[in-house]
């Protein structure tokens, strides 16, 4: 874990003491990251709408394909090769579309570091098939931005409900409002909530999102 994140966790525990005991109960927070650029975004796309275990298995096969983690390399792979890794037809089409956008300069990963959070989310979300959740997860794990919160994530809502004994699972809108109190460390709050929810549900360690 980078030094800034450990310092941020201490500040987050002051902003909201409910976070202070998560690591004591669940163990040290694992620092999960993804590659920057196309490879990292592909990892998030692969994991959409399937279990962590299935996503990990598919990712291992997909990432072993020659050139799969670069736009030009992916575009020369056949649909049969991509499908053999376990990708659904829609995800194959989605990844091809993203690779084409990179080749055309429409999707510009090199420009992301110079963008504010909202602009970076909008840039990624503008691509066909990419919604705010995918953009936020990419910026959180691949770009290590400290103040990103994927308010549409069901596990985050469930984790917060359990952590704070809320009467109901917060809606995405309610979750975004509650997360405002954790700025500028909302990414760290998300990581802790995923860690907490994995612990209380007994799920094996793996990718958070």
């Amino acid at each position: 874990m980078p030094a800034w994140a450990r310092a941020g966790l201490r500040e987050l525990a002051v902003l909201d003491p409910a976070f202070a005991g998560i690591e004591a109960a669940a163990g040290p927070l694992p620092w999960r990251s993804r590659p920057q650029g196309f490879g990292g975004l592909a990892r998030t796309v692969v994991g959409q709408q399937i279990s962590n275990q299935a996503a990990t298995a598919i990712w291992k096969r997909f990432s072993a394909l020659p050139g799969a983690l670069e736009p030009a390399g992916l575009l020369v792979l056949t649909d049969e090769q991509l499908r053999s890794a376990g990708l659904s037809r829609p995800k194959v089409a989605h990844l091809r579309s993203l690779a084409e956008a990179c080749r055309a300069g429409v999707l510009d990963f090199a420009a992301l570091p110079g963008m504010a959070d909202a602009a970076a989310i909008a840039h990624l979300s503008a691509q066909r098939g990419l919604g705010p959740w995918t953009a936020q997860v990419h910026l959180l794990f691949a770009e290590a931005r400290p103040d990103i919160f994927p308010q549409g994530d069901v596990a985050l809502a469930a984790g917060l409900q359990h952590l704070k004994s809320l009467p109901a699972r917060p809606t995405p809108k309610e979750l975004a409002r509650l997360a405002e109190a954790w700025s500028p460390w909302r990414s760290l709050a998300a990581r802790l909530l995923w860690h907490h929810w994995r612990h209380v549900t007994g799920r094996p360690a793996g990718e958070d999102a």
Side-chain angles (χ1 to χ4, degrees):
M1 179 183 298
W4 68 262
R6 181 52 63 188
L9 288 173
R10 290 193 292 269
E11 291 186 26
L12 180 61
V14 174
L15 291 172
D16 191 335
F19 287 104
I22 290 178
E23 286 189 292
L29 177 68
W31 190 256
R32 307 187 189 284
S33 62
R34 294 177 182 173
Q36 290 182 302
F38 180 79
L41 187 60
R43 174 63 184 87
T44 302
V45 170
V46 166
Q48 288 175 332
Q49 299 179 328
I50 59 176
S51 72
N52 289 337
Q53 290 75 19
T56 298
I58 293 170
W59 177 251
K60 286 180 180 177
R61 295 191 294 268
F62 170 76
S63 60
L65 295 173
L69 303 187
E70 295 294 337
L74 183 135
L75 288 171
V76 301
L77 294 171
T78 66
D79 283 3
E80 289 72 22
Q81 286 175 296
L82 295 171
R83 293 275 287 147
S84 72
L87 293 170
S88 65
R89 292 188 188 280
K91 285 189 179 179
V92 169
H94 190 179
L95 288 168
R96 288 198 185 283
S97 175
L98 293 175
E100 291 282 9
C102 290
R103 189 165 66 174
V106 176
L107 177 54
D108 187 1
F109 289 104
L112 287 178
M115 297 181 185
D117 289 340
I121 292 169
H123 179 69
L124 292 171
S125 299
Q127 310 310 315
R128 184 170 67 87
L130 285 188
W133 180 89
T134 306
Q136 289 161 340
V137 168
H138 178 76
L139 293 170
L140 194 158
F141 285 111
E143 299 289 332
R145 294 204 178 204
D147 201 29
I148 299 290
F149 195 84
Q151 67 268 15
D153 191 275
V154 174
L156 290 181
L160 185 62
Q161 181 187 10
H162 183 275
L163 182 67
K164 292 185 174 256
S165 300
L166 301 177
R169 184 178 297 179
T171 65
K173 191 171 185 179
E174 291 168 340
L175 196 55
R177 178 181 58 78
L178 291 167
E180 290 175 3
W182 308 325
S183 185
W185 304 113
R186 282 176 284 189
S187 294
L188 298 180
R191 287 175 179 269
L192 279 174
L193 286 171
W194 276 316
H195 189 45
H196 170 73
W197 187 237
R198 187 169 53 242
H199 171 68
V200 299
T201 56
R203 295 177 182 178
E207 283 281 332
D208 290 307

